[in-house]
Amino acid sequence: MQQWIIHEVFPELGPEHLEPLLESYLRIWNNPENLRFLSFTQIPFDESMVKSWLSSRAREGVHYFSAASVGETGGIAVVKLDRIQGCELMGIGVDPKWKRHGVGTALIQHVVSFAGDHGFRSLDAFVFADNVRMLRILLSLGFIPVGMEHHRRPDGADLLRMKREL
């Protein structure tokens, strides 16, 4: 299994931090294999939208984690820490060529530890019901289904709310 180094990325530190994250984010999130699981509208993410998200990172309590190996980014996880609403894994994207190489599992395990280290007692994750790979990973890591929103995607796919106690 590939060894993945997970690190937090701070885009506000300058272009040398922002540009690689922006490029990887757009490449991974907009890949057709991923977009159907990462977008409620199925409309690709554009550069100005993602730059806006990245620039508001600290103010919004959002953290970006990158899984790196062999000189490239294999995946990105986005987590939001909110002392009132809780901790949420907002998104995780894996480059299709690195799927089934442990990237998603490594990122989620890192986010679980990160949330616990910041005093949270649980972690929420939302996943479309047809995203079987992600459901398997979440279930294997101790997440349980706690809710469902019906017909959240244009094709009618349901959204599952998963929770893991920390």
Side-chain angles (χ1 to χ4, degrees):
M1 180 90 39
Q2 189 78 25
Q3 183 73 341
W4 296 97
I5 298 169
I6 311 295
H7 65 278
E8 187 169 0
V9 183
F10 301 93
E12 68 274 12
L13 293 179
E16 66 276 9
H17 298 270
L18 171 67
E19 295 304 323
L21 178 60
L22 177 63
E23 183 277 323
S24 295
Y25 194 105
L26 289 168
R27 175 178 47 82
I28 292 170
W29 252 248
N30 286 332
N31 181 285
E33 192 175 318
N34 292 335
L35 185 64
R36 67 184 281 227
F37 299 127
L38 294 169
S39 170
F40 288 104
T41 64
Q42 304 300 281
I43 298 170
F45 301 96
D46 64 36
E47 185 173 320
S48 64
M49 175 190 304
V50 175
K51 271 187 175 178
S52 173
W53 293 341
L54 297 176
S55 69
S56 66
R57 180 203 77 77
R59 181 177 63 255
E60 300 292 327
V62 175
H63 299 263
Y64 293 90
F65 296 95
S66 174
S69 183
V70 294
E72 63 182 294
T73 300
I76 297 171
V78 183
V79 63
K80 183 172 184 175
L81 304 181
D82 186 302
R83 295 284 176 196
I84 296 170
Q85 295 181 358
C87 185
E88 178 186 344
L89 175 60
M90 295 178 65
I92 182 168
V94 175
D95 186 316
K97 78 178 183 180
W98 292 111
K99 288 190 181 203
R100 298 181 188 240
H101 286 85
V103 179
T105 300
L107 282 164
I108 294 169
Q109 288 172 328
H110 187 84
V111 168
V112 165
S113 294
F114 180 78
D117 291 347
H118 283 81
F120 288 90
R121 310 268 316 232
S122 66
L123 174 63
D124 291 325
F126 292 85
V127 60
F128 284 108
D130 61 344
N131 191 346
V132 176
R133 253 189 218 156
M134 182 56 73
L135 283 169
R136 283 185 183 144
I137 293 171
L138 291 172
L139 290 167
S140 75
L141 293 174
F143 285 79
I144 59 169
V146 295
M148 180 180 284
E149 295 180 36
H150 298 284
H151 310 293
R152 282 303 310 264
R153 210 169 53 203
D155 63 3
D158 298 329
L159 187 69
L160 291 169
R161 179 176 174 219
M162 308 289 285
K163 182 179 282 294
R164 164 139 179 211
E165 301 299 323
L166 305 178

